[in-house]
Amino acid sequence: MNKLKQNIAWTFLDYWRGKEFKGEWPTFPELLKIQSYRFAKRPCFTVIEDKKITLTYQEVYEKVCKLTDWFIENGLKKGDHVCLAGKNSPEWAVTYLAILQASGVVIPIADSLHEAETINIIKASDSKFAVLDDEKIPYVKKNFPKMTIRNLNPTDSKNYVYNLEAKKAVKQNEPATENDLALIMFTSGTTGIPKGVMLTHKNIIADGYIAQTNLIINEFDIFYALLPIHHAYTMQAAFICPLEVGAEIVFGKTMAVSKLMKELHDGKITIMLGVPLLYNKLLAGIRKGIKEKGFIVAGLMAFLRGVSFTCKKLFKINIGKKIFKPVLQKANIYTLRVAICGGGPLAPSVFKQYQAMGLDFIQGYGLTETSPIIALNPVEHFKLDSVGRDFSPYEEIKIINADSTKDEHPVGEIAVKGPMVMQGYYKMPKETAEMFTDDGFLKTGDLGWMDDEHYIRLCGRAKNLIVTSGGKNVYPEEIEDAFQLCDDINQITCRGYYTDEEKTAEEIEVLIYASDDLYKRLGLERNPETMQPEVYEEIKKNVSKINKTLQSYEQISKITMLKEPLEMTPSNKVKRNFTAKTYDI
């Protein structure tokens, strides 16, 4: 194994061990106090409205202490659960930290959930408090009349979190230890009992620092928390990790292009977190601008991207940042030092184009049950087709139940063991036990393989696997990824379907929602009842083009057109337990 020299980001903690904390890793309150000493006057939380508003580390610490005292005076005991649901904001972050400083447990809830889903999670969480955005408060009050509820928004000044303070000095709760519960992260769902992933202070803090063995960050970085911060990926990579090094966090509240562009520009962002959908849209805009300059310019740009990528990959020389400076500046991403993609594998072709334009663009991999990061591509030695290198010796990853039907690499389920692995599912001992092997490895449910340098290649989810008549395994996610640069398709989902009554073998079907750009190009209006033949013919051409790049057993044999897009998760992945509204063709 050829492992690069790793960065050990947490050596500074040795100075504080025994002074501000006693364990292997600090808890959240201990870390925040340390950082308030180290970076008191440095920017911590920022929002960009009409103007840029920033709280320093010292100011954040003071607000957290004030809110902590209010929680304790109003009855929050060690281990009590507090629901937190709202858009990305400094108020959300301060509340999160105050709950933990009061030795409580945070229950992050997606702001985008519908009423029934929100109510279901609050019931399952056994929470005593809730801190919410305006729109959720009325129905939560109605369903939980005895619950203490407060507001993340200043519209309700009396209950606004920044205005809450204890009436007198309070006795602090017994401090949490690194092995105490910090978060329970629930899956959504309107019925049944949602699964709650239980994560300790150690799980989250350790994962944030260990992830930095593959990526150097520092207090001068400015992180962009654009994706929903309740989600494990954004929470760790754009909230916890920056706090661990004393960096600044700019909170984005919407994916609206004009707002995103302003925050990127005014915030002078150096590290951006995104999912494939976001980066595909951003790249589509860049490519469109280049195409509009004509065939000659587009051809020249393509040639220069090739030269730039070769220099970067083979000689470690980044000439792309200079060559493509005007392009990157127009997209407001020239200040980016690193762009990170998670939440699903990005097509290698997209990954390569960003790298060729001079951005240090890398992929990571993980799941909520692992706090969540378990692999990350190092900037200095990235691999286009990998979601990242593991963090050995600080974790162990192995491939279990591998078979040899996928090329020359045995593909199996990825399993992991390390300090970032969850304690289990809340009040679900049976489901918890099913997640672990006999020797204590967490089964991720993801299929893939790992090379000699410990870089992981994902193939797809085990439960989504399609088995053909020839006994070949087909991974739907790989087929979906092949369409990532297709401007005519807004959404594509691949699944198996049976052609015989005995249901002995599956063939490949794709469900497609055509893009607005395709309708515009064809001069048509979207018809909610009838699929226009011109649109279907263009989609068939796109599918035929991709089919030529796939193995014979992966060929798409059925196209189903969607009347409306399928519901997405907060990390912009299709919820596969869908009911689709489709056109008759």
Side-chain angles (χ1 to χ4, degrees), residues 10-11 20 27 42 65 78-79 115 118 125 135 164 180 203 221 255 303 332 349 370 378 384 499 501 505 528 544:
W10 58 91
T11 52
E20 295 297 338
T27 62
R42 287 199 59 79
C65 290
K78 181 177 181 179
E115 179 176 340
T118 302
S125 72
E135 58 266 24
L164 302 176
D180 283 332
N203 287 150
D221 277 314
M255 295 278 278
F303 171 76
N332 289 330
S349 56
T370 59
L384 288 177
T499 56
E501 294 183 1
S544 177

Side-chain angles (χ1 to χ4, degrees), residues 101-232:
Q101 184 150 303
S103 302
V105 177
V106 182
I107 313 295
I109 299 178
D111 182 63
S112 59
L113 291 185
H114 301 302
E115 179 176 340
E117 294 173 304
T118 302
I119 297 304
N120 197 31
I121 288 178
I122 294 176
K123 285 180 180 177
S125 72
D126 298 321
S127 291
K128 295 185 178 180
F129 293 77
V131 183
L132 312 166
D133 270 349
D134 283 333
E135 58 266 24
K136 283 185 166 47
I137 289 177
Y139 66 75
V140 173
K141 275 185 176 179
K142 179 182 177 181
N143 284 273
F144 304 94
K146 295 182 179 181
M147 179 176 282
T148 302
I149 301 171
R150 291 298 182 266
N151 203 319
L152 288 169
N153 304 121
T155 49
D156 181 4
S157 61
K158 181 181 177 181
N159 295 308
Y160 177 44
V161 287
Y162 280 179
N163 293 340
L164 302 176
E165 59 182 317
K167 296 176 182 177
K168 58 183 179 180
V170 299
K171 181 183 178 181
Q172 297 299 305
N173 288 335
E174 178 187 348
T177 70
E178 63 181 314
N179 294 311
D180 283 332
L181 202 59
L183 301 178
I184 305 177
M185 307 194 72
F186 282 89
T187 58
S188 60
T190 54
T191 60
I193 301 174
K195 284 183 179 178
V197 176
M198 298 188 294
L199 300 173
T200 65
H201 289 260
K202 178 179 180 178
N203 287 150
I204 304 160
I205 298 292
D207 188 53
Y209 277 119
I210 289 171
Q212 293 173 52
T213 58
N214 284 3
L215 176 64
I216 297 173
I217 58 177
N218 58 58
E219 68 268 29
F220 302 109
D221 277 314
I222 303 172
F223 284 73
Y224 191 23
L226 174 64
L227 301 175
I229 201 170
H230 75 274
H231 190 272

Side-chain angles (χ1 to χ4, degrees), residues 88 224-229 231-240 273:
N88 295 1
Y224 191 23
L226 174 64
L227 301 175
I229 201 170
H231 190 272
Y233 165 44
T234 312
M235 187 186 300
Q236 179 61 269
F239 177 43
I240 310 305
L273 291 299

